[in-house]
Amino acid sequence: MNWRQTVLVLITLLLPGCMTDSHIDVMVQESPQGRISLDRIPDSRFQATHPIRLDQTIITRSLQGIMVREETGLLRALGRNQPSTAPAFSEQDIAFLAPAITEALRQAAADQRVGFRLIQRGERGYRERGGAALGSSEPPLRHPPEETTSGSVCVDAHSLFIT
């Protein structure tokens, strides 16, 4: 079995126990880039296979294999037969997530999952409409656009679930 098949076997996007709402139990890592936490799984019938030691490369390859379909406008969509896809996580995101998720899985209890939240700030700021008045010597306020990506990771038997 090659690594792609392994990743496909390991990654599943639907698992009711891992997807339900949760409560943060323990903050594993927090930085301006995001956070990794251990979250309580509210469905007491679900028991994950935690704590577990996984090689960090499994988490890295799994995150690298997640692709998202980019939304395109109607004219662009008509010109293409295939939807445009892109990696869900940048190399910088993966460098932040993989070691922290690996460590969190070692700490997680059977009734917890690893939650993550990434904060991506754009390099180019947008100009706020309420900036300086006409003729003012003050420059308009600039705020970098911010996007968040959040999800969870848990292991059940021989499967790694990333939502």
Side-chain angles (χ1 to χ4, degrees):
M1 181 180 280
N2 68 32
W3 75 270
R4 289 176 197 231
Q5 291 170 324
T6 303
V7 169
L8 288 174
V9 169
L10 293 176
I11 296 178
T12 302
L13 294 177
L14 299 173
L15 179 68
C18 284
M19 288 179 39
T20 57
D21 290 335
S22 64
H23 173 73
I24 295 176
D25 284 340
V26 177
M27 190 64 64
V28 176
Q29 183 175 342
E30 192 167 21
S31 75
Q33 192 172 352
R35 69 168 166 77
I36 307 292
S37 60
L38 295 179
D39 306 339
R40 182 80 47 200
I41 300 171
D43 185 352
S44 62
R45 297 171 294 174
F46 179 79
Q47 294 292 301
T49 312
H50 303 152
I52 189 166
R53 291 188 178 276
L54 291 178
D55 190 290
Q56 185 175 321
T57 58
I58 292 172
I59 303 297
T60 299
R61 286 183 176 171
S62 297
L63 294 172
Q64 288 171 335
I66 298 174
M67 304 295 282
V68 293
R69 186 178 340 174
E70 294 179 353
E71 294 293 325
T72 59
L74 180 60
L75 293 176
R76 284 185 64 189
L78 291 174
R80 292 186 180 175
N81 294 336
Q82 302 267 339
S84 177
T85 59
F89 302 103
S90 70
E91 290 301 318
Q92 183 181 12
D93 294 339
I94 293 169
F96 171 74
L97 288 172
I101 289 172
T102 301
E103 181 57 34
L105 286 170
R106 290 181 184 146
Q107 300 173 23
D111 63 346
Q112 294 176 318
R113 66 182 179 181
V114 177
F116 64 86
R117 181 171 187 226
L118 287 171
I119 301 169
Q120 297 98 4
R121 289 178 180 86
E123 300 212 3
R124 291 183 230 166
Y126 65 93
R127 295 187 184 267
E128 193 176 275
R129 290 190 187 268
L134 183 61
S136 171
S137 61
E138 293 294 319
L141 297 174
R142 292 178 57 85
H143 297 281
E146 183 175 290
E147 293 183 6
T148 61
T149 301
S150 60
S152 65
V153 178
C154 69
V155 177
D156 183 28
H158 299 288
S159 299
L160 173 66
F161 297 93
I162 302 174
T163 56

